[in-house]
Amino acid sequence: MSIRAILLPLLLTVACAPARAWVPTPPAQPAEVTLVWVGTGECERFVDGQWVRAPQFDYDFSVEQRRSKDRWDSVKSLRRRHPDYDGSAGERTVTWFFQADLKAADAARVPVAFTTSLGAGLGATDPQFRRASMELKANVSSMAPFDRYRITQHYRYEDGQLDETVSLDKGDQPWVRNVERATLFARHTFAEPPSTR
């Protein structure tokens, strides 16, 4: 066996190995608002110019979101439960971290810088934090079928709902998108133990 035959698989393994995931340092001050979102994501693949459902990649998720004046910290836990999931998008269960640093705002727009375990990027939201968009440069190999995440969010606080689309693109070419719907859970107390009967 040649040295090339031995080294090539080793080099490919090292080149494709994921980088160590980024984890934020804890904020200096306690959060002013803590929200928890629980929902589902439905996967679609872009095939021959149209979106086609790929239910084997669907998932459940929860997000713990701690908001302060200038910074939001979120932890997203994702679980793929479909029996036909093949592992090609990573582990069945995964946790990601997101830090959003809010910049000086004007009357219509709040710029945001993102540092996440998926990649870093920029975005913006309105001053009431109802609609947000962001683009992250993906921490993936150059051989991957995508190189960025484009995310849009619509917070419907009055309905207790969050609608989000996560698009995985290669340049301007879409590859996969996940359409997420989540329900808001905010802190409250119970007068007595909750019953399911």
Side-chain angles (χ1 to χ4, degrees):
M1 181 177 283
S2 72
I3 190 75
R4 181 178 179 158
I6 295 170
L7 286 178
L8 186 57
L10 179 62
L11 289 172
L12 286 173
T13 301
V14 171
C16 296
R20 174 173 281 188
W22 171 85
V23 178
T25 57
Q29 301 295 325
E32 296 170 25
V33 176
T34 299
L35 305 175
V36 174
W37 304 91
V38 177
T40 58
E42 293 187 349
C43 181
E44 300 173 328
R45 288 195 164 183
F46 197 66
V47 180
D48 297 328
Q50 61 184 353
W51 291 105
V52 178
R53 279 282 285 123
Q56 67 273 25
F57 292 95
D58 290 355
Y59 51 86
D60 301 333
F61 70 90
S62 59
V63 176
E64 302 166 32
Q65 191 175 74
R66 292 174 171 83
R67 298 180 176 186
S68 298
K69 180 181 176 185
D70 299 321
R71 173 176 163 177
W72 292 10
D73 285 275
S74 299
V75 180
K76 183 172 188 174
S77 300
L78 182 145
R79 302 160 297 281
R80 295 183 177 93
R81 299 179 188 269
H82 198 287
D84 294 333
Y85 176 64
D86 62 7
S88 61
E91 298 291 330
R92 279 188 179 271
T93 60
V94 66
T95 299
W96 293 310
F97 297 91
F98 300 82
Q99 180 178 310
D101 293 304
L102 284 62
K103 306 302 181 185
D106 59 32
R109 184 174 179 274
V110 180
V112 184
F114 291 92
T115 310
T116 82
S117 49
L118 294 174
L122 299 172
T125 181
D126 63 283
Q128 290 191 320
F129 308 111
R130 293 181 179 275
R131 293 186 178 271
S133 62
M134 65 202 77
E135 182 172 319
L136 308 175
K137 183 175 175 6
N139 289 334
V140 294
S141 162
S142 61
M143 304 299 287
F146 69 100
D147 61 7
R148 69 201 64 216
Y149 300 93
R150 290 189 172 102
I151 302 170
T152 58
Q153 298 174 320
H154 180 197
Y155 289 93
R156 296 188 287 124
Y157 300 105
E158 292 82 358
D159 299 325
Q161 296 293 311
L162 169 61
D163 301 321
E164 181 169 329
T165 301
V166 181
S167 182
L168 286 67
D169 303 341
K170 186 83 163 184
D172 291 327
Q173 178 63 39
W175 176 58
V176 165
R177 75 177 176 190
N178 298 298
V179 178
E180 297 183 352
R181 307 246 188 284
T183 300
L184 169 64
F185 292 83
R187 184 170 61 187
H188 65 281
T189 59
F190 293 94
E192 59 187 36
S195 174
T196 57
R197 297 182 184 190

